[in-house]
């Protein structure tokens, strides 16, 4: 297996939300390129600001940073929401965005006039999805949440989920039984893909099916234009490897052309430049060990140990590099 820093790699899921060179400089040191994903998150900078940061950092590191655009659900109830949202995407795409992101606020925040949650298969999204499908523009979707989201904190499988939902109780669906269930979230996403069979779709975070690679495989078999990224869900692969390593290896081997590496690291300025650089470098190294070695390892998200997957160099090159290029057209 090549040394960590000796081959080109892409972290295809970060959020460059603070305009400074820290992530870019660490990427240069570790032979990474970056894909920063603009997202309609209430506590992120505005989409315009995220777009500006991405373009500025891309100029500072030519060829090392790409970005995806998104659209806001603000003014959803206006008569021309679809037109305004689509025009904003066309502008961002004309200015260099490599694709589009939809976030879990669709299905978990946005409500129609009837008070019910608006899901991603709502017909008002069809003009946007049709445009992406007809123009072969990739869409990444963070739709739904980990299945842990619908469990009490003490029943969640990994600490990263416990920490997130403790800090963001508005998205902890166990506390909101009136909201759509986990199954309803997944079904809405699947219906959207059935309506748009030629849409190039990347299911973020293992397509919110992180709890069982068999479930991910089932969706990949059903939707041939679908891939998944690993962002912030590698610990779930490690958790499964603790009890059935061969199943995880078989999944990675079988779908090696449709799995994309990413971390979901966010630089929002809360860490110093040295801290954010150490943080992402440490994640990159820990993940590399899991995928490329057969050493006994541990993860901070759960107790116990597991053995690295020791994937072939060909699979590593695809997951870390070629698949991001192929699916996003980078």
């Amino acid at each position: 297996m090549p040394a960590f820093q000796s081959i080109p790699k892409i972290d295809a899921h970060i959020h460059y939300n603070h305009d400074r060179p820290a992530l870019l400089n660490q990427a240069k040191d570790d032979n990474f390129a970056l894909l920063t994903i603009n997202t309609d998150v209430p506590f992120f900078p505005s989409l315009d600001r995220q777009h500006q940061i991405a373009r500025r950092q891309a100029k500072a590191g030519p060829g090392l940073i790409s970005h995806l655009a998104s659209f806001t659900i603000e003014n959803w109830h206006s008569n021309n929401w679809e037109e305004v949202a689509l025009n904003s995407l066309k502008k961002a795409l004309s200015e260099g965005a490599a694709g589009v992101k939809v976030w879990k606020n669709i299905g978990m925040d946005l409500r129609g006039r009837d008070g019910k949650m608006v899901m991603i298969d709502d017909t008002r999204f069809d003009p946007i999805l049709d445009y992406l499908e007809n123009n072969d523009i990739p869409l990444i979707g963070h739709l739904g949440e980990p299945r842990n989201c619908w469990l009490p904190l003490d029943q969640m499988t990994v600490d990263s989920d416990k920490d997130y939902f403790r800090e963001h109780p508005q998205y902890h669906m166990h506390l909101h039984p009136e909201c759509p269930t986990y199954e309803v979230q997944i079904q809405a996403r699947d219906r959207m893909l059935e309506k748009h069979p030629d849409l190039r779709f990347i299911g973020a975070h293992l397509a919110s099916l992180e709890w069982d690679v068999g479930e991910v495989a089932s969706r990949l078999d059903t939707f041939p234009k679908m891939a998944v990224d690993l962002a912030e869900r590698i610990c779930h692969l490690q958790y499964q490897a603790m009890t059935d390593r061969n199943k995880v290896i078989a999944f990675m081997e079988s779908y090696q052309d449709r799995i994309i590496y990413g971390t979901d690291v966010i630089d929002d300025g809360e860490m110093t430049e040295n801290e954010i650089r150490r943080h992402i470098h440490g994640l990159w190294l820990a993940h590399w060990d899991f995928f490329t070695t057969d050493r006994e390892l541990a993860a901070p998200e759960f107790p116990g140990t597991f053995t690295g997957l020791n994937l072939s160099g060909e699979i590593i090159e695809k997951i870390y590099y070629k698949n991001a290029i192929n699916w996003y057209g980078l």
Side-chain angles (χ1 to χ4, degrees), residues 232-271:
E232 195 52 49
R233 300 296 182 266
I234 291 172
C235 62
H236 289 272
L237 295 182
Q238 295 167 334
Y239 185 81
Q240 293 173 68
M242 190 165 55
T243 56
D244 198 342
R245 175 175 178 263
N246 288 336
K247 182 178 180 180
V248 179
I249 292 173
F251 168 75
M252 303 297 289
E253 291 177 343
S254 296
Y255 301 95
Q256 59 186 269
D257 296 310
R258 300 166 70 183
I259 301 170
I260 301 170
Y261 178 74
T263 60
D264 203 18
V265 162
I266 302 169
D267 185 4
D268 55 10
E270 291 192 4
M271 296 184 187

Side-chain angles (χ1 to χ4, degrees), residues 176-200:
H176 306 284
E178 75 283 0
C179 293
T181 64
Y182 172 77
E183 291 75 16
V184 168
Q185 298 283 347
I186 299 300
Q187 290 162 7
R189 190 272 316 282
D190 290 353
R191 286 194 300 270
M192 180 271 287
L193 293 176
E194 289 166 358
K195 285 201 298 181
H196 301 278
D198 292 322
L199 178 66
R200 188 159 25 127

Side-chain angles (χ1 to χ4, degrees), residues 147 182 206 208-218 236-237 240 247 251:
R147 194 173 65 162
Y182 172 77
L206 281 168
S208 294
L209 299 163
E210 72 301 317
W211 58 279
D212 183 0
V213 293
E215 289 291 323
V216 185
S218 174
H236 289 272
L237 295 182
Q240 293 173 68
K247 182 178 180 180
F251 168 75

